[in-house]
């Protein structure tokens, strides 16, 4: 029906790297082509499904586990779930990969900490530096970059448009199905 398969595009990276921005742009591009795509954003899920969780390593693990399960359901429904979660721990991401095997595509949205901190679109780095926010990824909590992601998008060096084009090309290559006319 969709001419593409379902799956999980898992965008991981520092706060301010551009995960949400890229996810929304990719969703727009795919929908314009008639594809079924849906953004699952860490911020949105943390206000609802994961509202009971904080930012300790244990809570982050549970946040990612639940979010991965939801993404997996979208993938089974034939939809491309575009996931925008910092997901700083390699082990947490690897558990999502293990649970969803072939459907899981890890995309490292990669920008240096200095660039993210200069952007600071939500003012979070400033608050983390002043000590107002504890356990902030990159400042007072670790970020473990992927060792072998399916794709790396250098969002610190490339303009947004180039990042979107590369992500859309990758998605087209990996998800399109040949459908007999
Ligand atoms: N090449 C780029 N790709 C993505 N975003 C970019 C790029 N260049 C500049 N930006 C800007 O960087 C900011 C990225 O913010 P965004 O909210 O998307 O980050 P995020 O990774 O979702 O952070 P968080 O984890 O806090 O939700 C936006 O203001 C965006 O306009
Ligand atoms: Mg975001």
């Amino acid at each position: 029906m969709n001419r593409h398969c379902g799956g999980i595009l898992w965008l991981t990276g520092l706060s301010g790297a551009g995960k949400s921005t890229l996810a929304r742009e990719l969703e727009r591009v795919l929908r314009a082509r008639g594809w079924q795509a849906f953004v699952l954003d860490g911020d949105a899920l943390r206000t609802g499904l994961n509202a009971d969780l904080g930012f300790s390593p244990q809570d982050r693990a549970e946040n990612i586990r639940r979010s991965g399960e939801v993404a997996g359901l979208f993938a089974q429904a034939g939809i491309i779930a575009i996931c925008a979660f910092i997901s700083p721990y390699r082990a947490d991401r690897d558990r999502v990969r293990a649970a969803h095997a072939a459907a899981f595509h890890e995309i490292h949205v990669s920008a240096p900490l200095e660039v993210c901190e200069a952007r600071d679109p939500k003012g979070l780095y400033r608050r983390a530096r002043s000590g107002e926010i504890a356990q902030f990824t990159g400042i007072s909590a670790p970020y473990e970059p992927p060792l072998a992601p399916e794709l790396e998008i250098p969002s610190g060096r490339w303009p947004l448009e180039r990042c979107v084009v590369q992500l859309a090309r990758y998605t087209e290559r990996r998800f399109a199905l040949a459908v007999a006319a």
Side-chain angles (χ1 to χ4, degrees):
M1 269 162 61
N2 289 347
R3 297 165 187 266
H4 63 79
C5 50
I8 303 172
L9 287 171
W10 190 276
L11 276 51
T12 172
L14 291 170
S15 176
K19 301 176 298 298
S20 297
T21 305
L22 281 168
R24 281 194 304 269
E25 282 299 302
L26 180 67
E27 183 187 60
R28 191 181 55 72
V29 168
L30 295 178
R31 285 185 178 173
R33 292 181 192 168
W35 284 31
Q36 302 283 342
F38 189 79
V39 174
L40 294 171
D41 199 292
D43 285 344
L45 266 69
R46 275 190 174 278
T47 65
L49 178 67
N50 298 332
D52 57 321
L53 300 173
F55 293 87
S56 67
Q58 296 76 15
D59 277 12
R60 286 183 192 263
E62 178 60 8
N63 178 48
I64 293 310
R65 188 192 69 79
R66 287 184 202 167
S67 303
E69 288 301 306
V70 173
L73 293 173
F74 274 85
Q76 281 180 42
I79 297 165
I80 298 174
I82 309 169
C83 300
F85 301 93
I86 296 176
S87 43
Y89 294 110
R90 210 169 278 140
D92 296 347
R93 297 191 303 267
D94 285 349
R95 265 192 294 274
V96 180
R97 182 190 288 278
H100 303 288
F104 184 82
H105 301 249
E106 190 173 27
I107 318 288
H108 185 198
V109 181
S110 131
L113 177 65
E114 308 80 67
V115 172
C116 296
E117 194 165 356
R119 287 179 182 165
D120 207 8
K122 304 182 207 159
L124 295 174
Y125 283 98
R126 191 180 45 74
R127 292 172 58 203
R129 288 286 184 198
S130 74
E132 196 186 321
I133 303 177
Q135 303 181 89
F136 192 78
T137 299
I139 306 290
S140 42
Y143 178 76
E144 300 171 354
L147 298 176
E150 273 69 23
L151 182 68
E152 179 168 354
I153 304 268
S155 62
R157 285 192 282 116
W158 289 1
L160 176 61
E161 185 52 32
R162 183 169 175 193
C163 296
V164 176
V165 166
Q166 200 201 4
L167 199 48
R169 275 202 197 124
Y170 175 85
T171 308
E172 172 93 22
R173 271 204 311 276
R174 303 299 294 269
F175 288 79
L177 293 174
V179 179

